[in-house]
């Protein structure tokens, strides 16, 4: 997280749009879900999980909330991709967080896309965070004790 979620708290339900380099998993991603207790959107979405299988997780976790938001826009506020899912999970996006020091002023948080970034995350340690200037390290430093 790099900035407070306070401006989003006025909505009963918040998720973010995701559009990866390929459109295969374009939609509303479940990596960030902010909801009031008993949110109607979540109940309706849950009902669609009756046919879930691991082979089609993207259908249920990204595509179905997108379709439901189109049907019931009154139940959800959808943030633009830059709020939660930028940079994207391509090599350039991962490198911009973990190898370079860039700024993403519209991002509330940086999604680390661990499946695609593990090659760099597995090498990360406290010393690296303290001494090497990258986008991630700069943000994470505030959470380290002196």
């Amino acid at each position: 997280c790099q900035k407070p979620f306070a401006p989003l708290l006025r909505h009963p339900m918040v998720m973010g749009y995701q559009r990866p380099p390929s459109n295969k998993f374009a939609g509303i991603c479940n990596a960030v879900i902010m909801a009031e207790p008993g949110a109607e959107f979540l109940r309706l979405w849950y009902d669609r999980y009756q046919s879930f299988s691991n082979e089609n997780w993207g259908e249920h976790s990204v595509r179905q909330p997108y379709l439901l938001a189109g049907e019931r826009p009154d139940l959800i506020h959808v943030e633009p991709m830059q709020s939660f899912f930028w940079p994207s999970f391509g090599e350039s996006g991962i490198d911009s967080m973990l190898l370079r020091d860039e700024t993403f002023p519209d991002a509330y948080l940086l999604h680390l896309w661990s499946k695609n970034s593990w090659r760099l995350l597995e090498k990360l340690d406290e010393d690296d965070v303290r001494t090497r200037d990258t986008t991630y390290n700069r943000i994470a430093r505030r959470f380290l004790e002196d």
Side-chain angles (χ1 to χ4, degrees):
C1 294
Q2 73 169 9
K3 67 181 185 178
F5 290 173
L8 302 176
L9 298 179
R10 62 188 169 96
H11 304 288
M13 174 80 191
V14 178
M15 290 176 71
Y17 183 69
Q18 169 189 300
R19 184 173 178 267
S22 77
N23 281 330
K24 183 176 180 185
F25 294 111
I28 297 174
C29 183
N30 69 354
V32 176
I33 300 171
M34 298 172 59
E36 292 178 345
E40 178 71 5
F41 187 91
L42 290 177
R43 187 190 62 73
L44 293 171
W45 183 19
Y46 178 78
D47 289 345
R48 296 180 180 209
Y49 265 84
Q50 302 311 312
S51 62
F52 178 79
S53 75
N54 285 332
E55 289 78 41
N56 67 352
W57 69 268
E59 173 63 28
H60 289 85
S61 300
V62 178
R63 186 81 179 137
Q64 284 301 317
Y66 176 77
L67 295 173
L68 181 56
E71 296 165 18
R72 295 296 308 270
D74 57 310
L75 298 179
I76 187 171
H77 169 75
V78 180
E79 277 290 300
M81 183 174 57
Q82 292 80 1
S83 294
F84 303 136
F85 303 112
W86 190 257
S88 193
F89 60 72
E91 187 173 345
S92 176
I94 299 296
D95 290 355
S96 70
M97 291 186 288
L98 298 170
L99 293 178
R100 297 187 300 270
D101 188 3
E102 299 184 17
T103 58
F104 300 97
D106 296 328
Y108 285 92
L109 57 85
L110 298 181
H111 186 70
L112 295 179
W113 310 102
S114 62
K115 182 178 178 183
N116 292 25
S117 63
W118 188 246
R119 65 185 167 86
L120 299 171
L121 288 175
E122 72 178 338
K123 300 171 188 169
L124 204 64
D125 63 21
E126 191 174 318
D127 226 26
D128 186 60
V129 171
R130 288 185 191 283
T131 61
R132 196 165 55 89
D133 290 334
T134 68
T135 307
Y136 173 81
N137 290 355
R138 180 176 33 80
I139 294 167
R141 272 185 205 131
R142 339 178 267 211
F143 302 101
L144 295 177
E145 294 180 36
D146 288 334

